[in-house]
Amino acid sequence: MPERPRQQRWERTRAALLEAAVTVLVEDGYARTTLQEVQSRAAVSRGALLHHFGSKAELLAAAIHHIAGRQVEHVREGARGLPAGEERTGAALALFREVMSGPLFLAGLELWLAARTDDALRDALLPAEREIGRALHEVFADAFPGLAAGDGRGAVRYESLLALLRGLALTSVLRSDREIEDEVLRLWAAEARRGARDG
């Protein structure tokens, strides 16, 4: 068989397994994410699964980087479409909010919680999270130049936004009130701008 079609089939199978792993993480949680369930969702043979991933740890390490890659791509693509002028702040906040919620975020959250007691998973997770963090910080610095600057306060504003968005995403697992969430983000933006002016 020619090399290129074989490589394409290999890539398709791997992508199907990674997408299935994300789906199982979101729908069933980390504890119920098994190789058998991922294999079933991806509709591949056991041999095909084991050809790509010999263990749950290998699969989840790859899933971490898959999730990070998709989130970074989403952030950068969204950043290119941010409007200029007064609408930029709101659009950038919406982009951050989108990245810090939804299926990819929930899959990542499942892995974060598991990494609390799993050192190998934590070690696999850290580089991927740094990659996402760098991409988000680039967008933050571009979208909020006045907030990103300063003698260390820009870093605090950035981290406070991420912490706030993670908190909103966690809260939404049990209850969601879009109006209150919108108001919380408007308050963050107003306070951050005031701090940048006063600082």
Side-chain angles (χ1 to χ4, degrees), residues 3 5 12 22-23 25 37 50-51 63 81 101 123 125 134 142-143 153 160 168 171-172 174 177:
E3 186 60 32
R12 278 196 307 271
V22 171
T23 299
L25 280 167
E37 184 61 26
L50 294 175
H51 179 70
S101 62
D123 289 344
L125 194 56
R134 278 192 298 273
D142 180 57
R153 293 188 189 141
S160 71
L168 289 174
T171 301
S172 73
L174 296 179
D177 186 327

Side-chain angles (χ1 to χ4, degrees), residues 1-189:
M1 176 182 273
E3 186 60 32
R4 187 64 192 145
R6 182 181 293 136
Q7 178 69 18
Q8 288 172 337
R9 191 172 70 214
W10 185 91
E11 290 169 1
R12 278 196 307 271
T13 301
R14 184 178 177 83
L17 287 164
L18 293 172
E19 287 296 325
V22 171
T23 299
V24 176
L25 280 167
V26 172
E27 294 180 3
D28 300 336
Y30 174 81
R32 289 187 293 209
T33 299
T34 63
L35 289 177
Q36 184 173 349
E37 184 61 26
V38 171
Q39 174 196 334
S40 174
R41 298 282 184 106
V44 301
S45 69
R46 186 71 173 177
L49 168 68
L50 294 175
H51 179 70
H52 288 273
F53 305 107
S55 66
K56 179 178 176 177
E58 281 181 39
L59 173 63
L60 292 181
I64 287 165
H65 292 282
H66 177 71
I67 290 166
R70 285 189 50 197
Q71 285 187 304
V72 167
E73 183 182 307
H74 181 73
V75 168
R76 291 192 170 136
E77 187 177 302
R80 285 192 290 270
L82 288 176
E86 293 180 8
E87 294 177 6
R88 191 169 184 82
T89 298
L93 280 174
L95 175 61
F96 269 75
R97 187 180 192 173
E98 196 177 312
V99 171
M100 303 291 287
S101 62
L104 288 177
F105 177 79
L106 292 176
L109 183 60
E110 286 290 330
L111 294 170
W112 270 38
L113 293 174
R116 188 180 68 83
T117 56
D118 184 331
D119 290 342
L121 186 60
R122 184 177 184 278
D123 289 344
L125 194 56
L126 284 172
E129 287 302 318
R130 287 188 190 112
E131 184 182 357
I132 295 168
R134 278 192 298 273
L136 286 172
H137 194 271
E138 287 171 15
V139 175
F140 184 81
D142 180 57
F144 310 106
L147 301 184
D151 53 353
R153 293 188 189 141
V156 172
R157 291 182 197 108
Y158 169 70
E159 290 296 334
S160 71
L161 176 59
L162 296 188
L164 176 62
L165 289 168
R166 286 183 188 119
L168 289 174
L170 282 172
T171 301
S172 73
V173 170
L174 296 179
R175 63 171 175 78
S176 184
D177 186 327
R178 190 74 183 192
E179 287 183 24
I180 289 178
E181 292 170 12
D182 290 344
E183 187 57 35
V184 166
L185 286 173
R186 280 193 291 270
L187 180 62
W188 174 88

